[in-house]
Amino acid sequence: MNPQKLQWHNLPSDELFTTLGTDAEQGLTESEAQRRLDTVGPNRLTPRRGKGVLGLFLSQFNQPLVYILLLSGAVTAFLQEWVDSSVIFGVVLVNAIIGFIQEANALKAINALAQALNISTTVLRNGQRRTLNAGELVPGDVVILQSGDKVPADLRLLQSRELQIDESALTGESVPAQKRPAMLEEATGLADRTNMAYSSTLVTYGTGSGLVVETGDRTEIGLINRMIANATDLDTPLTQKMTQFSQLLLWVIIAMAVLTFAVGVWRGESMLAMFMASVALAVGAIPEGLPAALTITLAIGVSRMAKRNAIIRKLPAVETLGSTTVICSDKTGTLTQNQMTVQAIYAGGEYFQVSGSGYTPEGEFNRLGKTLDPNHYPALLECLKAGLLCNDARLLADSRAVGGCA
């Protein structure tokens, strides 16, 4: 196998099999597949390295306002003001615990979602069809695709029968792409490579087979994963405002404390007494309850989002969603839930309206504003039967499903 990434869509069939050392009719042997698995590793994306439990907890203290609280708590403890010091440190600790628990729970939910996305696939090994976990695929495997399958790796198509694949995750095109195994020009763009099937895309219609050419981090979706992992974390509007407010507050408090100390000494007060008074002023001016109030408010927002099956990993992300005023999409407007729903039917010269939306099995048929029974309208009934018989879609209710992530 050539370790260099090739333009797989541009290779003729004979060179394709020679490069990958495989056979279209027999596939790989079990021993060869295991050898390649040991060499290239499992067909999985490398997860982003986490902070660990201790790092996750300590990150909750990485806020400008918390720095001020910690400093004021230390000063009050040094002055043996134990009650004030205990209250300040208590607020900081409660704030850190709430943030830590929320982020830890969100990470667990994300990991559970990642595990739930493990898929099985049909592969040709030793001339026999076998069902394997997608993580066991290696370059050179022959994969069988059918409607409803998720493409388990980057494939060069060998055969296709009216094969259509939804590639919106990669290309943004809302309409499924028609696939054909014919060789293409080298300059063909990703969205136009009709002889390729890419990992994580969905087969919406037809059947086909393909040769695994890239797995794991070497797939197109793996490239996106690496780009996301290397992206810098941006401050949310809330954290930016809090940072600006904390810096302004810090300088105002310092200025007031210095002014109080200077005026007191100028009027003849002792330096120790004025120092104590300045520290008391600084501690009293710090809004100790602000971080806790913000955390509780954001936690309420996270709880409401969780009821709608949305995973929020960091609390400030809730405020970011609320601050969104403009959403930009491409010309196809693919920011949808992939829940295309029939709204009207014209059958037998009559027009019928259909209520209901998405995958929820609820709705009615209406004509001229009145609810009707489709069994009393033969043309409508025949149209519905045709729609039922010409597809193999299934509707499965699963209360354990996780809706999405932010």
Side-chain angles (χ1 to χ4, degrees):
M1 292 185 295
N2 190 348
Q4 183 181 1
K5 191 166 184 177
L6 301 175
Q7 298 296 327
W8 298 108
H9 61 279
N10 182 238
L11 294 181
S13 298
D14 54 349
E15 185 177 346
L16 188 68
F17 291 115
T18 301
T19 302
L20 292 171
T22 189
D23 182 84
E25 301 297 330
Q26 297 295 319
L28 297 174
T29 63
E30 291 293 343
S31 58
E32 176 61 18
Q34 185 60 48
R35 187 188 69 80
R36 296 188 182 190
L37 185 63
D38 295 337
T39 302
V40 301
N43 178 33
R44 298 189 183 94
L45 300 180
T46 301
R48 189 173 182 177
R49 189 171 182 178
K51 299 178 181 178
V53 176
L54 181 60
L56 187 62
F57 181 72
L58 293 178
S59 67
Q60 308 304 317
F61 298 93
N62 188 22
Q63 302 175 34
L65 198 58
V66 174
Y67 297 157
I68 300 176
L69 290 174
L70 291 174
L71 178 60
S72 62
V75 172
T76 53
F78 176 75
L79 298 175
Q80 297 184 354
E81 298 290 341
W82 305 118
V83 175
D84 291 343
S85 177
S86 299
V87 170
I88 295 172
F89 284 126
V91 168
V92 173
L93 183 61
V94 170
N95 175 70
I97 291 175
I98 293 176
F100 171 76
I101 293 176
Q102 171 59 37
E103 191 163 348
N105 289 337
L107 289 173
K108 288 182 181 178
I110 292 173
N111 292 334
L113 179 61
Q115 293 296 326
L117 294 178
N118 287 337
I119 58 175
S120 298
T121 187
T122 303
V123 64
L124 202 62
R125 292 272 178 91
N126 292 325
Q128 302 292 325
R129 290 192 178 191
R130 289 190 53 195
T131 301
L132 299 176
N133 185 287
E136 300 179 39
L137 289 179
V138 295
D141 268 326
V142 178
V143 173
I144 310 301
L145 299 175
Q146 59 183 358
S147 180
D149 285 351
K150 195 171 185 179
V151 180
D154 284 2
L155 312 177
R156 167 66 187 272
L157 295 177
L158 303 176
Q159 297 177 349
S160 67
R161 182 180 179 185
E162 300 182 3
L163 184 63
Q164 298 179 17
I165 299 180
D166 178 5
E167 296 182 335
S168 57
L170 290 177
T171 65
E173 293 295 335
S174 58
V175 179
Q178 297 277 352
K179 294 296 181 177
R180 302 176 184 83
M183 186 179 70
L184 300 173
E185 295 292 332
E186 183 176 354
T188 305
L190 180 69
D192 298 321
R193 295 175 186 175
T194 55
N195 63 356
M196 297 289 295
Y198 292 104
S199 177
S200 80
T201 57
L202 182 66
V203 179
T204 59
Y205 190 79
T207 60
S209 64
L211 191 62
V212 176
V213 295
E214 303 288 359
T215 60
D217 290 333
R218 291 178 62 83
T219 62
E220 292 296 330
I221 199 69
L223 174 61
I224 295 176
N225 183 61
R226 293 197 303 273
M227 293 172 63
I228 293 176
N230 294 329
T232 57
D233 293 330
L234 300 177
D235 291 335
T236 66
L238 178 63
T239 55
Q240 291 176 357
K241 292 177 182 177
M242 284 302 302
T243 300
Q244 295 172 0
F245 173 75
S246 300
Q247 292 174 349
L248 176 62
L249 183 64
L250 176 62
W251 289 113
V252 169
I253 291 174
I254 292 175
M256 291 176 61
V258 171
L259 180 62
T260 301
F261 179 81
V263 171
V265 172
W266 177 70
R267 295 185 59 181
E269 301 291 340
S270 68
M271 296 184 64
L272 179 60
M274 292 315 303
F275 175 76
M276 295 288 292
S278 300
V279 171
L281 174 63
V283 172
I286 295 175
E288 295 91 347
L290 181 57
L294 280 174
T295 300
I296 293 172
T297 303
L298 295 175
I300 293 174
V302 169
S303 176
R304 291 180 178 178
M305 294 292 288
K307 292 179 181 178
R308 306 191 67 172
N309 295 330
I311 299 173
I312 304 296
R313 187 167 68 90
K314 291 184 177 292
L315 291 178
V318 177
E319 187 272 341
T320 304
L321 292 174
S323 300
T324 302
T325 56
V326 177
I327 297 177
C328 300
S329 64
D330 65 359
K331 64 182 184 300
T332 59
T334 53
L335 292 175
T336 68
Q337 293 181 305
N338 282 334
Q339 297 183 5
M340 188 176 293
T341 308
V342 175
Q343 298 291 313
I345 298 176
Y346 186 79
E350 296 181 290
Y351 181 79
F352 304 93
Q353 291 181 320
V354 185
S355 63
S357 63
Y359 297 127
T360 304
E362 298 176 357
E364 296 176 337
F365 294 92
N366 297 278
R367 180 173 177 271
L368 301 178
K370 296 182 179 180
T371 303
L372 58 87
D373 183 354
N375 292 310
H376 298 161
Y377 293 83
L380 175 60
L381 190 60
E382 290 299 317
C383 181
L384 296 175
K385 288 181 179 178
L388 173 65
L389 296 174
C390 73
N391 76 82
D392 56 0
R394 295 180 298 164
L395 179 62
L396 302 176
D398 187 355
S399 60
R400 300 169 300 172
V402 180
C405 91

